[in-house]
Amino acid sequence: MSLNKFCEQGEVLTKDLLEEAKKNILWTAVRPDIVMERGKGMYLWDTEGKKYLDFIGGWAVTSLGHCPDQLKSALMEQSSQLVNASPSFYNIEMIKFAKLLVSNSCFDRVFFASTGAEANEGAIKIARKYGSKHLNGAYKIITTKGSFHGRTLATMAATGKDAWKDLYEPKAGGFVHVPFNDLQALVSATDEKTCAVMIEPIQGEGGVHEADCDYIKKLYDFCKEKDILLIFDEVQTGVARTGKLFAYEHYEIEPDVMTLAKGIGGGYPLAALMTKEYLNIFEAGDQGGTYSSQPLGMAVGLAIMTEVLQKKLWENAVDMEEYIKEKLYQLQTTYKLRNIRGKGLLLAFELPKDNAREVVNECLKAGLIINSPSPNTIRLIPPLIVEKLHVDEMIEILSGVLDRIQ
Ligand code: PLP
């Protein structure tokens, strides 16, 4: 029977859904034979009714958990008021949301987009505009090895991922990759054509590697001395994820540019490019987008950020970091876990063998969602609302799996 027929009858079967998925969806990723149907708080349910504890949260996206009331109300109320009047007009939600972000950060201006890659494209453009206006046409942007900045052609070229080296040639030019946490390499790579350095304060997709405090402080001084821009890609680290509202606060510096996405929309596609006043340098038409600042997304972002601020969710990130690490340290000897690391709710640890993918798959079968950014590494990025009882449940499932397969 066709899928339509099943849908009409309200008796959709997972096997039919999977068959249709495999027939119609362009293949881009290895996905398990699971179809997700519903989410609430820390949990997801599939079409078989199986429940999963979610310690990945849509990849650091569902900051308030799945389907929070704030997001539902914002979507319902705004969708009956105004969805999109076109980006050529101001709208009320855009003005309110911009004010909220500017008044809670060290930045003066914001441009709204839909994805992290799009916000980073904006950051690259602003750096090159700055280079053409103030640095004799300097255009090179230094990024770090192991970094991740997105999947558009320019942000893939910016990304320091070995596996992408030969993909989609010819590459967008003007990106130089240096080792992470190595100031000398960065200084040596800088020349009169350099206009900016773009960095993740904690490399997320690269495996949860933190920038040293001293490195970031010296990098900041170096950029100031050379008049080049310091861009913080906070797509993964922003919005209370690391125990501060924004990760740059850990280093007591103020970058020139910051990009946000993921957690800012709580699951709704939303991103922001934030800059200092002296970078308010685009001319009309240099930057834009059909969905930039559309009222529906702005209402969602406003609702999510208001809740994060009111509840001071970075404090929960700090408390839960401590609790998760304490629990992982208790497992350390039994399962030979190594290098338990990360800040706030962006955490990782290493297994003694390169079987992280197997551990992830077995956890999934046992009802826990975690992920493996590299063959021996497990990453945890749960929603900011995670509580001790969820951590206990996660540890119980994880240790059960490790008992079986380590
Ligand atoms: N920058 C960082 C640090 C990221 O972690 C990601 C996504 O994982 C991106 C950029 C790209 O964001 P998006 O997938 O929303 O384009």
Side-chain angles (χ1 to χ4, degrees):
M1 200 184 290
S2 78
L3 186 64
N4 281 348
K5 198 80 187 151
F6 273 120
C7 291
E8 277 163 27
Q9 293 179 354
E11 37 171 310
V12 181
L13 297 180
T14 304
K15 79 170 180 32
D16 297 300
L17 287 168
L18 287 169
E19 200 183 304
E20 292 294 333
K22 285 169 191 184
K23 234 175 16 201
N24 300 314
I25 292 168
L26 187 68
W27 196 89
T28 56
V30 180
R31 292 183 168 116
D33 279 353
I34 291 173
V35 181
M36 290 301 180
E37 187 174 33
R38 189 162 64 85
K40 186 75 202 150
M42 287 290 300
Y43 295 93
L44 279 169
W45 285 263
D46 69 16
T47 44
E48 302 285 287
K50 180 169 170 172
K51 186 178 177 188
Y52 301 83
L53 174 63
D54 189 359
F55 263 66
I56 291 302
W59 293 355
V61 162
T62 53
S63 34
L64 304 184
H66 291 284
C67 303
D69 291 343
Q70 297 81 357
L71 189 143
K72 277 192 288 184
S73 315
L75 283 173
M76 296 235 294
E77 281 161 30
Q78 191 59 41
S79 61
S80 59
Q81 185 72 18
L82 179 65
V83 171
N84 200 338
S86 114
S88 37
F89 299 108
Y90 291 118
N91 64 73
I92 295 170
E93 304 307 309
M94 160 202 208
I95 296 166
K96 285 187 187 165
F97 190 30
K99 170 105 184 147
L100 187 77
L101 286 176
V102 164
S103 56
N104 283 285
S105 72
C106 68
F107 299 96
D108 307 299
R109 300 271 168 177
V110 58
F111 170 82
F112 293 107
S114 306
T115 67
E118 199 188 352
N120 283 342
E121 287 270 344
I124 293 164
K125 286 185 195 170
I126 222 162
R128 292 196 172 155
K129 186 87 189 179
Y130 171 82
S132 79
K133 274 176 90 94
H134 301 296
L135 298 175
N136 292 319
Y139 61 90
K140 285 191 199 166
I141 297 174
I142 300 180
T143 68
T144 59
K145 294 190 173 159
S147 63
F148 187 89
H149 298 294
R151 290 171 190 276
T152 57
L153 287 174
T155 55
M156 281 182 95
T159 292
K161 194 171 160 151
D162 279 343
W164 285 358
K165 256 198 186 116
D166 301 321
L167 199 60
Y168 307 136
E169 296 292 331
K171 291 261 178 320
F175 296 97
V176 181
H177 303 105
V178 298
F180 191 53
N181 269 330
D182 184 342
L183 188 72
Q184 202 42 55
L186 194 141
V187 169
S188 305
T190 306
D191 61 22
E192 75 286 353
K193 293 287 177 210
T194 308
C195 65
V197 173
M198 179 152 86
I199 193 159
E200 294 164 84
I202 302 178
Q203 290 186 338
E205 300 306 298
V208 187
H209 299 293
E210 289 177 54
D212 299 334
C213 203
D214 190 51
Y215 168 72
I216 292 288
K217 283 185 180 194
K218 288 188 175 141
L219 172 60
Y220 172 81
D221 290 342
F222 176 70
C223 290
K224 282 279 164 265
E225 181 197 318
K226 295 282 175 195
D227 247 349
I228 59 182
L229 302 183
L230 180 58
I231 302 167
F232 261 39
D233 177 345
E234 294 227 27
V235 165
Q236 190 153 155
T237 57
V239 191
R241 172 69 38 199
T242 69
K244 302 268 187 197
L245 186 57
F246 305 111
Y248 72 79
E249 296 168 30
H250 289 292
Y251 307 96
E252 293 164 352
I253 56 121
E254 295 188 357
D256 303 289
V257 177
M258 172 174 74
T259 54
L260 299 170
K262 292 187 182 280
I264 195 179
Y268 187 93
L270 193 59
L273 162 68
M274 301 200 68
T275 76
K276 294 286 198 183
E277 183 60 36
Y278 47 81
L279 292 172
N280 190 21
I281 52 175
F282 282 137
E283 283 148 59
D286 283 358
Q287 176 63 327
T290 305
Y291 297 112
S292 176
S293 311
Q294 45 96 359
L296 195 60
M298 297 296 95
V300 170
L302 186 60
I304 300 287
M305 280 303 282
T306 302
E307 179 72 6
V308 169
L309 286 161
Q310 273 174 3
K311 294 263 165 66
K312 298 191 169 132
L313 284 177
W314 54 90
E315 292 181 356
N316 191 51
V318 172
D319 293 346
M320 289 301 109
E321 169 192 347
E322 207 174 295
Y323 191 64
I324 294 171
K325 282 186 172 169
E326 182 190 315
K327 292 281 163 187
L328 289 174
Y329 284 127
Q330 285 168 9
L331 303 187
Q332 195 170 23
T333 322
T334 316
Y335 304 110
K336 301 190 176 55
L337 306 184
R338 284 178 294 139
N339 208 354
I340 295 165
R341 60 182 183 267
K343 268 196 170 75
L345 291 169
L346 177 50
L347 301 170
F349 58 90
E350 283 164 26
L351 302 167
K353 288 193 262 171
D354 281 356
N355 63 346
R357 185 154 291 169
E358 191 189 354
V359 170
V360 168
N361 290 340
E362 288 304 309
C363 283
L364 190 65
K365 282 187 205 154
L368 169 67
I369 303 174
I370 52 176
N371 102 320
S372 61
S374 68
N376 69 348
T377 306
I378 299 289
R379 180 172 54 163
L380 307 172
I381 31 176
L384 303 172
I385 52 147
V386 63
E387 294 174 39
K388 283 185 175 177
L389 73 142
H390 306 120
V391 176
D392 293 342
E393 190 183 343
M394 178 274 287
I395 291 288
E396 197 184 321
I397 299 177
L398 177 67
S399 34
V401 166
L402 294 177
D403 274 337
R404 283 205 305 281
I405 66 168
Q406 280 289 64

